[in-house]
Amino acid sequence: MARSINESGSSWVFPDGPLEEIASRCDVITAASLVGSCKFYHDSATQSVALPASQPFGMPCVLHTHQTEVPPAHNPFYRVHKFKQEGAQKDKQHDAKDRKGTLCQLTPLDRISSDAVIPDGGTGMWAGANGDWIALLGFPWNWELVNVYTGRRIPLPPISEFKSTPDKLVFESNDQHLQLLKIAICRVPTAASNYTSFSVLAIFNAAIAVLHCASSRWTVLDNQFLAYGYSDAIIHKGIVFAVTQTGEVYAWNQLSWGPLLISTAPIPPELDEQGRYNLGSWWLARSPDGSRLFLVHTWGVTDGRDYTGLVRILPAAATSEGRHGRTIRGYGKGLLGCEVYSMDTSQLMPPRPWRRIISLGSYSLFLGVNYPIIIPVEDGAEHDRPNMARSNSVYTSHHAVGLAYPPSPEICRFSLNSEDCTVGFQTNIRWTWRQVPLWLIPSFANARQWNLPSRHRLCRGGGDGHLEALTGDNIDLIAAHLDVTYTVRLAACSRELYDMISKDEGKMHHWDEPCLLMPPPAYWFDEHWDVARTSRLHDTVYDLVPLDHPRRSVALPFMHDRKWLGANGDWIAAADHHEWCLVNVYTERHIPLPSLPDSKIDHSSFSYQPAYSFNWGPAIDLLKIVICQVPTKGGRYADYKLIALFDKTIFYLEGGGDWRMLEALTPAPDYPNYCDAIELRGHVFAVDETDGSTYFWDTANENLMLPFVIPPPVVDDQQYAWFLAPSADGKRLMIILTVNKIGIANAEVPPDIPYAANGLQLRQYPPVATYVFELDPLSTARAGDFLWRQVNSLSDHSLFLGLNYPIIANLKKRESKAPDGTLVPFMRKNCVYTAYRNIRYNQYPKILRCNLQPDEGETVGVISLPKDGWDSVRQAAMWFKPALNIARSVLPLKKQ
């Protein structure tokens, strides 16, 4: 694989090659769409060794509803995507209507489930699939074929002979109720036919309809001999074949004859005697070479109904084994079974007999609502256990849409090897899904056709990278599924990509806007830990939540088994059980930090605890690491300035040096009770939570003399939370104080107000006193007169305070108050936002917004995070401002 086209020496952009890096972080459908976007990616993907390891391309998978049911506000994939017309003239299949992506899951047989984002069908139901296409059912008569990779949609006409009902699966014809079972896509649309020629069958319980062109009419195939409902149908050698629920097979030649009963059910005597076939399903398929018709009968799978008078086969599992996040159950011989028959259909008058197939060789069949799939499957073993993917097997899923009860087991593997038992598993943990699981093989085999007639898109470009061959719609699609960090990496590849992403036409990212960096909701509530671990959410992917927009994900691989201690700009201070370090969020550059001096800190008694627990005379607790100055490339990443803020002492570090303790003249045990600190103009300032006194030291003095003490701006009996921040111009020191505890009479807790924009829970509390004061500390120190001046307005700015270095955001385009007096929009100017004050403080309520110029009776806005989840999360939410600047700083000087 070629590396990034970036020529500035920034190997962090895509160190393993752009295709593998992006595709591994996209869902599998988007990754396939990316492969088909240009010739470079297409050629690279066909030769890639790493790509199949990250995505289940070419593997039979079960496509089903996502098991976590993430609501739209929590779902980073629920994004508006505009499918743009490639040609100059619009086409009915590519209108200007916005489409949404639906987050689903693809479950390979022998791998962990992966995400799949397919074009949204609104309230549509999956009713069939074949290759790159699925059939979607809407109401009324809003049927269409949809390409899962390109989003191309082909509307299907209504069946004029049938009348719709309030149930989208039930129709009426001649006072007869018809239940739709599925749509069989027998021949898929292709670019060569301009997507106008195809063959589909609408299979009802008592009718079959066939359609060969979107502009033609459905043909209903009559059958005066039908005694039992249909079960399945396909087109084989131009003839329509249908099998009933009792195994009779009918055939129609649309040009000359039909229906013709070509056979009755070839049931073995032992099954016929026990009545087991009444509990089975009948399927039709084709042989691997397409020459013969297959008839498949599966029995023993139940669906929860009461089969009075029949011998009910209870599939009692003999064995159970957990694999790849699901439970595989094995069933003893005689409980479930499968027979496969073959017929040469070159002669149907009279028909030739069915021939029992005892082996499929290296092939396996995949049957369900999808069109039958028969492919070679390699046998293998994983840790001395047979794989679920086996040759000479028949795999089944649901046989129809809209089943009142799921089949049990839901996904079955019937082996034609007599010594193997049947195994099965469920796709979901409960039966609440409106979509029926179906078989789909993710693939980019047809990628060359996806871009036709714009063939130049696939063949464009030369040289090393060709990321510039991606058009705006490709970028929107990819950026909708990439996390924030890898979107920045994509933008760093070329100026064209940077320009497209920075415009952000899809409004998926909100650059330069303070957001909450926090663990995902699954770590707090709603999902069992095991479910969260098997889903996309894991301990290195966090949520980045804008205050008025949908949340995004942010991948931080370096945070595995680490705890963040502070942040500033693109850098995070983190610690594990061994060391402290600085890590760049986007480049993952790692800067280890020196240990605290042994003469000042006793490490030995706390060696079993993480690297933020120490002993210093009295026990001391680390509150946070303040990144006062971030490392830069110009300073060889050694020009950083840090403060290690403990509750009773402070250490200061400049890049390339050692930690220095900043001591205050306070006798034991009356140590200071520090709560915040910053560095400003070469001086370190720290505020004491007890009374608001501020200490400051001159860092230019190597001996770090005893500090000056600035008296607090307010002296009363009220308990305040104190914060320090620089002014917007960086010249003055600001001290911010809010009432430490807020609440209402009788300790009542106000109700949570769900915010649909980002899924957060908001609350309203009575107004609290919030003050901002400032002074020029150096001028007043020389004069010996420390006078704080109250700041009554931040003008177009707002302050974001907490574990992070203070953020002063320019919110000129924001209002300072809600027009209707409500809590939202939550992001406003002239406000003070406070989050977690340190890594240990489980404050409640968590995050406040206080207006410096509130109206009479205006309440305090609160973002409430679950209190019960603190013990398991242990990562304090903090403010973080995503930015593309780092991508721009490493771009090559010339356009690629």
Side-chain angles (χ1 to χ4, degrees), residues 572-894:
I572 284 181
D576 57 18
H577 287 260
H578 308 289
E579 68 166 5
W580 292 354
C581 62
L582 295 179
V583 187
N584 189 287
V585 170
Y586 304 111
T587 68
E588 298 180 23
R589 177 182 288 273
H590 177 273
I591 303 176
L593 300 178
S595 300
L596 295 176
D598 292 333
S599 60
K600 302 292 185 180
I601 294 292
D602 179 13
H603 297 264
S604 58
S605 60
F606 287 83
S607 59
Y608 61 91
Q609 293 188 4
Y612 41 82
S613 296
F614 303 94
N615 193 21
W616 171 69
I620 59 175
D621 292 326
L622 178 68
L623 304 183
K624 61 180 177 179
I625 297 292
V626 184
I627 307 176
C628 306
Q629 181 172 302
V630 300
T632 63
K633 184 178 180 181
R636 297 182 180 273
Y637 299 101
D639 52 346
Y640 54 85
K641 297 179 180 180
L642 307 178
I643 296 174
L645 178 65
F646 291 83
D647 55 347
K648 298 180 179 66
T649 189
I650 293 176
F651 285 83
Y652 178 71
L653 174 68
E654 293 184 354
D658 295 320
W659 290 99
R660 295 185 289 170
M661 177 181 282
L662 308 184
E663 300 189 55
L665 186 59
T666 53
D670 296 326
Y671 297 104
N673 186 19
Y674 297 121
C675 61
D676 201 6
I678 65 168
E679 190 266 353
L680 179 68
R681 298 166 63 182
H683 292 71
V684 172
F685 297 84
V687 61
D688 190 328
E689 187 174 30
T690 305
D691 60 0
S693 298
T694 301
Y695 300 83
F696 77 96
W697 297 260
D698 183 359
T699 61
N701 189 327
E702 294 185 0
N703 295 323
L704 288 176
M705 303 292 290
L706 295 177
F708 287 98
V709 180
I710 305 175
V714 175
V715 179
D716 56 27
D717 295 331
Q718 182 69 56
Q719 291 185 346
Y720 293 103
W722 303 84
F723 299 89
L724 295 177
S727 60
D729 59 8
K731 296 180 178 180
R732 296 177 301 281
L733 176 69
M734 292 197 297
I735 189 168
I736 303 95
L737 52 154
T738 64
V739 173
N740 200 16
K741 296 182 179 180
I742 65 173
I744 54 181
N746 301 321
E748 295 179 10
V749 178
D752 286 336
I753 305 172
Y755 192 14
N758 52 26
L760 294 175
Q761 299 291 329
L762 308 182
R763 290 181 181 176
Q764 298 185 80
Y765 280 86
V768 297
T770 301
Y771 305 102
V772 177
F773 297 87
E774 68 175 8
L775 58 75
D776 183 341
L778 303 187
S779 298
T780 53
R782 287 191 292 267
D785 189 8
F786 297 101
L787 294 178
W788 293 98
R789 182 182 67 85
Q790 185 170 357
V791 178
N792 296 315
S793 173
L794 296 174
S795 185
D796 294 331
H797 295 80
S798 283
L799 272 169
F800 295 82
L801 309 171
L803 194 60
N804 53 282
Y805 194 77
I807 298 174
I808 306 174
N810 190 330
L811 304 177
K812 185 176 182 179
K813 296 181 180 180
R814 296 277 187 163
E815 299 293 333
S816 59
K817 298 178 178 63
D820 55 359
T822 60
L823 281 174
V824 296
F826 204 81
M827 178 79 79
R828 303 178 188 176
K829 61 184 179 182
N830 197 30
C831 291
V832 174
Y833 294 81
T834 62
Y836 287 79
R837 296 162 57 189
N838 59 65
I839 61 174
R840 297 173 178 271
Y841 185 53
N842 182 19
Q843 63 190 52
Y844 195 79
K846 300 290 188 300
I847 298 158
L848 307 182
R849 180 197 63 201
C850 301
N851 197 326
L852 285 188
Q853 294 178 330
D855 291 334
E856 183 177 355
E858 181 177 342
T859 58
V860 173
V862 173
I863 296 175
S864 176
L865 299 181
K867 186 176 182 179
D868 296 337
W870 172 256
D871 290 335
S872 61
V873 174
R874 291 296 182 186
Q875 292 281 28
M878 62 181 175
W879 302 106
F880 181 82
K881 188 166 66 171
L884 280 178
N885 293 338
I886 190 171
R888 189 172 184 176
S889 66
V890 298
L891 284 174
L893 297 179
K894 295 182 179 180

